[in-house]
Amino acid sequence: MEQQIVSAIKHRVLPHPALVVGIGDDAAITRVTPGKQLVTTTDMLMDGVDFLLASTDPVLVGRKSLAVNLSDLAAMAAVPVGAVISLALPRQGGEQLVRQLFDGILPLAAEFQLAIAGGDTNSWDGPLAISITVWGEVEPGEAWLRSTARVGDKLHVTGALGGSILERQFTFTPRVNEAQQLRRSAQVTAAMDISDGLLIDLARLCEASQCGAVLDLDKIPVHADAVRLSLQEHPTATPDELQAFALEHALADGEDFELLLTIAPSDPLAAQSIGEITSARGIFARAADGSLRALTIRGYEHQFRA
Amino acid sequence: MEQQIVSAIKHRVLPHPALVVGIGDDAAITRVTPGKQLVTTTDMLMDGVDFLLASTDPVLVGRKSLAVNLSDLAAMAAVPVGAVISLALPRQGGEQLVRQLFDGILPLAAEFQLAIAGGDTNSWDGPLAISITVWGEVEPGEAWLRSTARVGDKLHVTGALGGSILERQFTFTPRVNEAQQLRRSAQVTAAMDISDGLLIDLARLCEASQCGAVLDLDKIPVHADAVRLSLQEHPTATPDELQAFALEHALADGEDFELLLTIAPSDPLAAQSIGEITSARGIFARAADGSLRALTIRGYEHQFRA
């Protein structure tokens, strides 16, 4: 069965200029642009942890498995090149499942000119697990790191946050193109993607950069999904209460997959900042009057919409 | 827990000249030797399919998870550079398990100067699954493929075959160094590693190269383990019967992880050949008198020693 599945995948994979040898040999061979460095990331998504196969469209599961990896490349400002995909398929219905997963994977790969270079397809008595490794390229020294934020840098996010559980955790667009544009137009000093929530991920960036941060809570872009989710959860709340609930979702929900960036204070983009990097450790909220209060770091625990 | 595990792994990983940014950022950054192409392979090993965790030392399981990937690089004549490692850990005992797996992974990585660049560590209610992606480098056009064997080429294997189930399936040395030596000294025209058994893998090489092959059965190197295993299975067999049983193990057992190579007939190594490539499709056994009989392709079904 596995040979047939691999053969079916092979026939659906698009050619790619970087691909010298693709699916079917012991390994894939790809070209590297002269002078570039390699950026590699891997993510494993598992039934019951990252999704519930019983209640989620497998096409979306496949798409997400690749999208989270592309988001990690975006966080490094890397240009995607190739991917290898390993599957642990439940024995029952594995053949149909793999077709659906690739219905989600292949269009996203095409959208970001990513070569599907190979993989490993297996069946077992366990639940579905999907492990994807993606690589891309950067100019030496041009990758964005978590560890290079400087005191006084401004905080920036690429989009509105919160309520991703309603749908966006499966349908988000990895910020690959936005990262390339920002790499050219802005003085980005550090970056990461927001996978576990703004507060916890900002705390990680600060730990890596040995600094703290202040957030201007009124400037944090709250996604409409955060408001919708708050309305579902608190149908009788007042508008002020709803605003507070939605902000909480924007701060602590995970799976936004927007980029969190630090920008040099002299950069024009700094005008739209949501806060700034401080020498004082910890994450603080700044009120309109400039007063600070420490925020509790609260982040994402893997959740699903059952 | 996962943050602690990752931190513990990070402290055990050796520095590596190709590694610019390792464990701890959104992705790893590695150098590529100028002018080289990238060779990438991935393998997922799963409890109940590739090993039985209940009866196998997790150190050996970790070692094997990396070794099978290095074997794929060897089959392409690539020099290993880096690896990323994803784990789906059972919730119970996951922390100790990951330590043991890395007790097997890290020494093998060090032996082959492989950078452990990153990974993804997860816990779930399913069984243990380990997905490793390894990459290496080749000069453009110098990788060995399965599809380039030519009629008249001689067949060569890098070591004795059969009975790997007794232990070698976990302790084998991936033929990375042998491949580099052969790349320099011999006219290798095609290659693959023997993972599912000589017969089935030779048939795959022949299919990729659109040819057939003849095997000189008396020249196939039979491993002492194949004899030991035959003795265990058939304690009352005659010496002739034992020889036949052992040869059968050499032909059809899997997980030898020796390299199967085709060599130009003019190469000195051709003198030690075990057969040759033919235009007639199929795999044939050649008797001492030169007569041919078609062999049934029988290969490896995943097995364990319980």
Side-chain angles (χ1 to χ4, degrees):
Chain A
M1 185 188 83
E2 277 147 27
Q3 291 284 100
Q4 284 166 23
I5 289 180
V6 171
S7 173
I9 296 168
K10 187 177 173 179
H11 283 96
R12 294 182 62 190
V13 162
L14 296 177
H16 189 283
L19 199 58
V20 182
V21 171
I23 295 169
D25 215 306
D26 291 275
I29 306 178
T30 50
R31 294 183 185 87
V32 182
T33 309
K36 300 277 186 176
Q37 289 183 341
L38 203 64
V39 180
T40 310
T41 185
T42 191
D43 263 302
M44 189 187 258
L45 269 66
M46 299 136 73
D47 188 11
V49 179
D50 302 285
F51 57 87
L52 288 178
L53 193 58
S55 58
T56 310
D57 180 355
V59 177
L60 291 178
V61 170
R63 185 190 184 282
K64 180 176 181 172
S65 304
L66 179 56
V68 296
N69 278 288
L70 289 171
S71 181
D72 281 325
L73 286 193
M76 309 290 282
V79 175
V81 175
V84 288
I85 299 165
S86 287
L87 301 174
L89 297 164
R91 292 193 200 283
Q92 204 66 12
E95 215 158 336
Q96 194 197 343
L97 183 55
V98 75
R99 204 161 39 237
Q100 293 170 305
L101 293 171
F102 274 87
D103 284 345
I105 289 169
L106 294 174
L108 192 67
E111 186 178 340
F112 289 101
Q113 289 92 53
L114 185 78
I116 303 297
D120 185 24
T121 304
N122 310 277
S123 298
W124 72 336
D125 296 321
L128 174 65
I130 309 163
S131 174
I132 300 188
T133 300
V134 171
W135 65 95
E137 296 178 344
V138 286
E139 287 285 343
E142 295 226 333
W144 294 338
L145 307 182
R146 296 183 180 187
S147 54
T148 46
R150 299 165 310 196
V151 173
D153 286 345
K154 300 296 182 180
L155 293 170
H156 183 75
V157 285
T158 50
L161 306 176
S164 72
I165 198 174
L166 288 183
E167 185 184 63
R168 255 162 47 246
Q169 60 168 319
F170 288 106
T171 59
F172 70 92
T173 299
R175 297 306 186 197
V176 170
N177 296 333
E178 291 77 0
Q180 289 309 305
Q181 200 177 335
L182 285 164
R183 190 181 59 74
R184 287 186 293 262
S185 66
Q187 299 170 59
V188 176
T189 55
M192 68 184 296
D193 70 335
I194 303 175
S195 55
D196 292 348
L198 175 61
L199 283 182
I200 198 165
D201 285 328
L202 175 58
R204 286 173 184 155
L205 186 141
C206 286
E207 194 190 339
S209 293
Q210 301 187 282
C211 60
V214 162
L215 284 171
D216 297 312
L217 296 187
D218 57 329
K219 292 189 182 155
I220 290 171
V222 177
H223 200 281
D225 287 344
V227 181
R228 277 172 57 211
L229 184 58
S230 301
L231 265 169
Q232 289 181 13
E233 291 168 337
H234 310 279
T236 62
T238 66
D240 279 0
E241 287 169 344
L242 272 181
Q243 195 175 18
F245 289 133
L247 176 62
E248 179 61 26
H249 281 300
L251 290 171
D253 284 4
E255 311 238 296
D256 291 304
F257 297 106
E258 297 294 346
L259 301 181
L260 171 63
L261 305 155
T262 63
I263 308 272
S266 59
D267 192 282
L269 203 62
Q272 304 162 39
S273 83
I274 63 166
E276 62 187 74
I277 296 294
T278 61
S279 57
R281 300 300 179 92
I283 310 295
F284 299 88
R286 179 159 52 194
D289 66 0
S291 64
L292 298 180
R293 69 182 164 88
L295 291 171
T296 307
I297 305 309
R298 46 198 187 272
Y300 180 75
E301 301 284 326
H302 284 291
Q303 302 172 59
F304 333 93
R305 192 169 171 79
Chain B
M1 185 187 84
E2 277 147 27
Q3 291 283 102
Q4 284 166 23
I5 290 180
V6 171
S7 174
I9 296 168
K10 187 177 173 178
H11 283 96
R12 294 180 63 189
V13 162
L14 297 176
H16 190 282
L19 198 58
V20 182
V21 172
I23 296 170
D25 215 305
D26 291 274
I29 306 179
T30 50
R31 293 182 186 87
V32 182
T33 309
K36 300 277 186 177
Q37 289 183 340
L38 203 64
V39 180
T40 310
T41 186
T42 190
D43 263 302
M44 189 187 260
L45 269 65
M46 299 134 73
D47 187 11
V49 178
D50 302 285
F51 56 87
L52 288 178
L53 192 57
S55 59
T56 310
D57 181 354
V59 177
L60 291 179
V61 171
R63 185 190 186 281
K64 180 176 181 174
S65 305
L66 179 57
V68 296
N69 278 288
L70 289 171
S71 181
D72 281 325
L73 286 193
M76 309 289 283
V79 176
V81 176
V84 289
I85 298 165
S86 287
L87 301 174
L89 297 164
R91 293 194 199 282
Q92 204 65 12
E95 214 157 336
Q96 193 196 343
L97 183 55
V98 76
R99 206 165 32 241
Q100 293 170 303
L101 293 171
F102 274 87
D103 284 345
I105 290 169
L106 293 174
L108 192 66
E111 185 178 341
F112 290 101
Q113 289 93 52
L114 185 78
I116 303 297
D120 184 24
T121 305
N122 310 276
S123 298
W124 73 336
D125 297 320
L128 174 65
I130 309 162
S131 174
I132 300 189
T133 301
V134 171
W135 64 95
E137 296 179 344
V138 287
E139 287 285 343
E142 296 226 333
W144 295 338
L145 307 182
R146 295 182 180 188
S147 54
T148 46
R150 298 166 309 196
V151 174
D153 286 346
K154 300 295 183 182
L155 293 170
H156 183 75
V157 287
T158 51
L161 306 177
S164 71
I165 199 174
L166 287 183
E167 185 184 64
R168 254 161 50 244
Q169 60 168 320
F170 287 107
T171 59
F172 70 92
T173 300
R175 297 307 187 195
V176 170
N177 296 334
E178 291 77 0
Q180 288 309 306
Q181 199 176 335
L182 285 165
R183 190 182 59 75
R184 288 187 292 264
S185 66
Q187 298 169 60
V188 176
T189 55
M192 66 184 296
D193 70 335
I194 302 176
S195 56
D196 291 348
L198 175 61
L199 283 183
I200 197 166
D201 285 329
L202 175 58
R204 286 173 184 156
L205 186 141
C206 286
E207 194 191 338
S209 293
Q210 301 187 281
C211 61
V214 161
L215 284 172
D216 297 312
L217 296 187
D218 57 329
K219 293 190 182 156
I220 291 171
V222 177
H223 199 281
D225 287 343
V227 181
R228 277 172 58 211
L229 184 58
S230 301
L231 265 169
Q232 289 180 14
E233 292 168 336
H234 311 279
T236 61
T238 66
D240 278 0
E241 285 169 345
L242 272 181
Q243 193 173 20
F245 289 133
L247 176 62
E248 179 61 26
H249 281 300
L251 290 172
D253 283 5
E255 311 237 295
D256 290 304
F257 298 107
E258 298 293 346
L259 300 181
L260 170 63
L261 305 155
T262 62
I263 308 272
S266 58
D267 193 282
L269 202 63
Q272 304 163 37
S273 83
I274 62 165
E276 63 188 73
I277 296 294
T278 61
S279 57
R281 300 298 180 90
I283 310 295
F284 298 88
R286 180 159 51 194
D289 66 1
S291 63
L292 298 181
R293 69 182 164 88
L295 290 170
T296 307
I297 305 308
R298 45 198 188 273
Y300 179 73
E301 302 284 326
H302 284 290
Q303 302 172 59
F304 332 92
R305 192 168 170 80

